[in-house]
Amino acid sequence: MFSAVFGSVEQGIIYAIMALGVYISFRVLDFPDLTVDGSFVTGAGVAATMIIFGYHPVAATAVAIVIGFLAGCVTGLLHTKGKINALLSGILMMIALYSINLRIMGLTSANSIGRPNIPLLNAETLFVQFKTFWSPLGIDTSINNFFSMLGFQHLPSTWGTLFIMIIIVLLIKFVVDWFLKTEVGLAIRATGDNKKMIRSLSANTDTLVIVGLGFSNALVAFSGALIAQYSKFADIGMGIGMIIIGLASVIIGEAIFGTKTIMRTTFAVIAGAIIYRIVLGLALRVDFLDTGDMKLITAVIVIGALILPQCFEKKREKNRKAKRHAERLIEHEQLQMKGGNPVAKAQSD
């Protein structure tokens, strides 16, 4: 159980970067961007291809981020300059990226034809290099000894991946928080709230949409690049349903932790991604469920995340009404005991 939860937390932290990208497009820009399913694979494919060619994993990941940014910008151009519907723009780019991703990964084959997957089993990935640095420190032994004394079994071989991902995700969270508070970030937020209003202030909403979608898909591609290096493979089908996973993370986080401030919301999105992976991992441990049921489980989790907060809010509103009614009854009884006229008092008020 502990090892399953630990693995889910590791993956959840990596997917949290993708969820932050989805948050920017869907919540901040109010743009239904389906490019995510394609740009996630683009990040994975670009990083895996460059690593196979011998480039440093950091450089490969950086290029994946840039390509993801460009993919998002193209979606923005299709919508703003091509005057194509927002939903359709994302769908068209997602379809185009499918073939582009096959071509990118096909560069590693002899005849450069489309290739559906790239294994990275013996490749020098970002996590392999960090593990080489982390292992001699002896931190893994100390942590595992501590948990062993507490009675936990099947402990992970290394805690380094979790450690480095926590640092990376926190850095990205602070960058997103900072960006959304800059002049450009505030303009993007205003564009998502009310385009007409921001246009009346002479702001170029087209550019803001393009930049926002580029930034969103850059984060998605970054997550894809890390997942490819974590899983040690890149596959053309790994992005299917990624937008649903991102939305599930956003919805779960917002429902549990709220959205009062930007810093709180970005934290909620990260926590939502982790909670989603934990719930999914625990659900797959049920005997009658297998990996083929992942999409069904995801749908159930999203439905629950959408419906339960409404039920809780209705119950809280019902309790508030009951409390106000009880207070009015008590006030009415007190006035009667004092010999007052509550009707006259109410009219005078």
Side-chain angles (χ1 to χ4, degrees):
M1 180 68 74
F2 181 82
S3 59
V5 173
F6 181 84
S8 298
V9 172
E10 276 189 341
Q11 293 181 43
I13 292 176
I14 302 176
Y15 280 111
I17 302 173
M18 179 271 299
L20 286 171
V22 172
Y23 163 74
I24 291 173
S25 60
F26 271 83
R27 285 289 192 258
V28 177
L29 271 176
D30 193 24
F31 191 102
D33 184 22
L34 298 185
T35 312
V36 170
D37 282 15
S39 58
F40 185 86
V41 183
T42 301
V46 169
T49 300
M50 291 188 65
I51 289 173
I52 291 296
F53 282 139
Y55 289 92
H56 195 281
V58 174
T61 305
V63 173
I65 294 172
V66 173
I67 300 299
F69 178 84
L70 294 176
C73 288
V74 173
T75 301
L77 286 169
L78 290 175
H79 173 62
T80 57
K81 305 303 181 184
K83 305 303 178 183
I84 300 175
N85 176 270
L87 186 62
L88 185 57
S89 299
I91 293 173
L92 289 172
M93 194 59 199
M94 176 184 65
I95 294 172
L97 283 174
Y98 185 88
S99 297
I100 293 171
N101 294 335
L102 283 173
R103 285 289 182 179
I104 290 172
M105 292 192 285
L107 295 174
T108 59
S109 61
N111 50 9
S112 296
I113 62 173
R115 184 176 180 180
N117 53 66
I118 300 176
L120 296 172
L121 295 175
N122 299 317
E124 194 77 5
T125 64
L126 185 66
F127 297 110
V128 171
Q129 291 190 344
F130 183 77
K131 187 177 180 180
T132 303
F133 162 78
W134 175 269
S135 296
L137 300 178
I139 300 176
D140 290 331
T141 304
S142 301
I143 297 176
N144 285 339
N145 288 338
F146 173 75
F147 279 99
S148 295
M149 289 189 297
L150 296 178
F152 289 97
Q153 298 178 350
H154 306 293
L155 297 172
S157 59
T158 179
W159 294 74
T161 301
L162 180 64
F163 178 78
I164 188 63
M165 282 313 307
I166 289 174
I167 294 176
I168 292 174
V169 170
L170 286 177
L171 287 174
I172 291 173
K173 171 187 160 41
F174 293 139
V175 168
V176 172
D177 292 342
W178 167 82
F179 175 74
L180 292 178
K181 292 179 181 179
T182 62
E183 186 175 348
V184 176
L186 289 171
I188 290 174
R189 290 162 62 186
T191 300
D193 288 335
N194 192 328
K195 276 189 179 181
K196 292 183 179 179
M197 183 273 292
I198 198 68
R199 280 198 193 107
S200 68
L201 300 175
S202 302
N204 190 334
T205 54
D206 289 354
T207 301
L208 293 171
V209 169
I210 293 169
V211 171
L213 290 177
F215 185 45
S216 168
N217 283 278
L219 292 176
V220 173
F222 185 23
S223 178
L226 292 176
I227 284 292
Q229 296 176 69
Y230 175 83
S231 304
K232 293 187 179 297
F233 74 93
D235 187 86
I236 193 65
M238 66 193 304
I240 297 175
M242 202 53 59
I243 186 64
I244 301 300
I245 295 175
L247 282 174
S249 303
V250 173
I251 292 167
I252 292 170
E254 290 179 346
I256 296 175
F257 299 99
T259 59
K260 288 186 178 180
T261 64
I262 289 295
M263 292 185 66
R264 182 171 178 174
T265 305
T266 52
F267 168 78
V269 171
I270 293 170
I274 297 172
I275 293 171
Y276 166 78
R277 296 307 303 187
I278 292 175
V279 173
L280 185 63
L282 294 177
L284 289 176
R285 292 178 65 88
V286 178
D287 293 337
F288 63 88
L289 295 175
D290 55 33
T291 53
D293 298 319
M294 285 185 63
K295 303 305 178 185
L296 174 61
I297 297 170
T298 298
V300 172
I301 293 173
V302 174
I303 292 170
L306 288 170
I307 294 177
L308 288 177
Q310 297 179 36
C311 297
F312 292 148
E313 181 60 31
K314 287 181 180 179
K315 186 176 181 180
R316 284 195 292 266
E317 182 62 26
K318 185 178 180 180
N319 291 336
R320 283 195 292 266
K321 288 182 178 179
K323 185 178 180 181
R324 286 197 296 268
H325 181 67
E327 289 174 349
R328 291 195 191 99
L329 288 176
I330 293 172
E331 183 180 355
H332 179 75
E333 291 174 357
Q334 289 176 345
L335 288 172
Q336 284 186 329
M337 290 175 63
K338 292 179 180 179
N341 188 345
V343 176
K345 184 178 184 300
Q347 291 176 348
S348 64
D349 290 341

